[in-house]
């Protein structure tokens, strides 16, 4: 597996890299050898934040954890990723095509897979062109965590969302 490390407000030491690579190595059995893993370590206030993103076959596995100790954050993130993979192994196998995961890597005491995804509510709404600031305002007014809108500048469907750190994010389609 190929690792890319980024440090924000923190020096990514060899000790941190080695610990992350050792822990992420537990996931090696689920992925091919040339899989890229993007790791971001950051420090905000008294929190040590560990983010890992693994794009694999059109699916993105991601975990973000924070604690007062970077090593604890690494351990929690690996547990989250492993649980995501085990919980959705059948769906992922179907999505990623056959032989994407080796069934022998799953033991009998794995997490129970989710049954089918249940949609309990469906909405339709008229998409009106607006700028990003207006979309954020609308999102805040209705009290949601995200808002779908047509970007007036690009005439494309975009999504604004509230991040865990209180800031906002924008999702745009690739061309």
């Amino acid at each position: 597996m190929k690792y890319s490390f980024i440090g924000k407000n923190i020096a990514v030491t060899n000790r941190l890299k080695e610990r992350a690579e050792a822990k992420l190595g537990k996931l090696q059995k689920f992925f091919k050898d040339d899989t890229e893993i993007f790791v971001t370590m950051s420090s905000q206030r008294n929190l040590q934040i560990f983010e890992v993103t693994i794009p694999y076959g059109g699916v993105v596995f991601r975990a973000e954890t924070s604690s007062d100790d970077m090593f604890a954050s690494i351990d929690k993130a690996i547990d989250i990723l492993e649980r995501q993979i085990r919980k959705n192994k059948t769906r992922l196998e179907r999505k990623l095509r056959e032989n994407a995961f080796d069934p022998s890597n799953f033991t009998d005491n794995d997490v129970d897979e989710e049954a089918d995804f249940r949609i309990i509510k469906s909405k339709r709404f008229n998409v009106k062109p607006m700028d990003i600031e207006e979309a954020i305002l609308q999102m805040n007014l209705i009290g949601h965590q995200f808002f779908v809108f047509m970007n007036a500048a690009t005439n494309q469907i975009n999504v604004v969302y509230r991040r865990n750190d209180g800031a906002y994010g924008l999702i745009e389609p690739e061309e």
Side-chain angles (χ1 to χ4, degrees):
M1 295 184 0
K2 300 174 189 170
Y3 301 95
S4 296
F5 290 95
I6 297 173
K8 294 180 181 174
N9 300 328
I10 189 173
V12 180
T13 63
N14 283 337
R15 187 169 170 229
L16 284 173
K17 281 183 184 180
E18 288 168 3
R19 175 68 176 261
E21 286 178 8
K23 291 293 183 171
L24 287 164
K26 288 174 48 178
L27 302 176
Q28 173 95 29
K29 59 188 175 186
F30 299 118
F31 301 103
K32 295 182 179 158
D33 290 338
D34 62 344
T35 302
E36 289 190 71
I37 297 179
F38 301 95
V39 176
T40 303
M41 297 180 200
S42 59
S43 179
Q44 292 180 357
R45 295 178 215 114
N46 294 331
L47 290 178
Q48 303 298 310
I49 302 166
F50 182 81
E51 299 172 48
V52 61
T53 305
I54 307 171
Y56 185 70
V59 176
V60 178
F61 299 92
R62 185 175 186 285
E64 178 179 343
T65 57
S66 61
S67 70
D68 57 353
D69 177 39
M70 184 61 78
F71 294 111
S73 295
I74 292 170
D75 292 343
K76 284 195 290 188
I78 302 310
D79 290 343
I80 289 170
L81 285 171
E82 203 165 20
R83 187 165 175 15
Q84 283 177 1
I85 293 167
R86 291 180 187 283
K87 190 172 183 181
N88 295 294
K89 66 183 177 186
T90 304
R91 262 188 217 94
L92 290 169
E93 183 70 27
R94 228 180 293 134
K95 165 88 173 118
L96 297 174
R97 314 234 181 342
E98 59 188 62
N99 300 325
F101 292 112
D102 181 0
S104 66
N105 292 324
F106 296 99
T107 60
D108 291 338
N109 62 352
D110 284 335
V111 176
D112 289 337
E113 283 193 64
E114 272 187 48
D116 290 325
F117 294 124
R118 286 185 20 220
I119 297 175
I120 57 172
K121 187 175 185 179
S122 179
K123 287 185 176 181
R124 291 180 159 269
F125 61 96
N126 201 359
V127 181
K128 114 178 187 190
M130 60 180 72
D131 62 24
I132 296 168
E133 290 78 21
E134 185 180 352
I136 292 172
L137 176 64
Q138 283 285 206
M139 176 184 66
N140 289 334
L141 288 173
I142 60 175
H144 286 185
Q145 296 294 313
F146 67 93
F147 187 76
V148 179
F149 69 103
M150 180 176 290
N151 190 328
T154 62
N155 270 347
Q156 291 184 322
I157 299 295
N158 289 185
V159 176
V160 290
Y161 62 96
R162 186 175 297 112
R163 295 171 39 94
N164 290 337
D165 62 6
Y168 297 100
L170 174 68
I171 300 174
E172 299 178 285
E174 284 187 358
E175 303 214 10

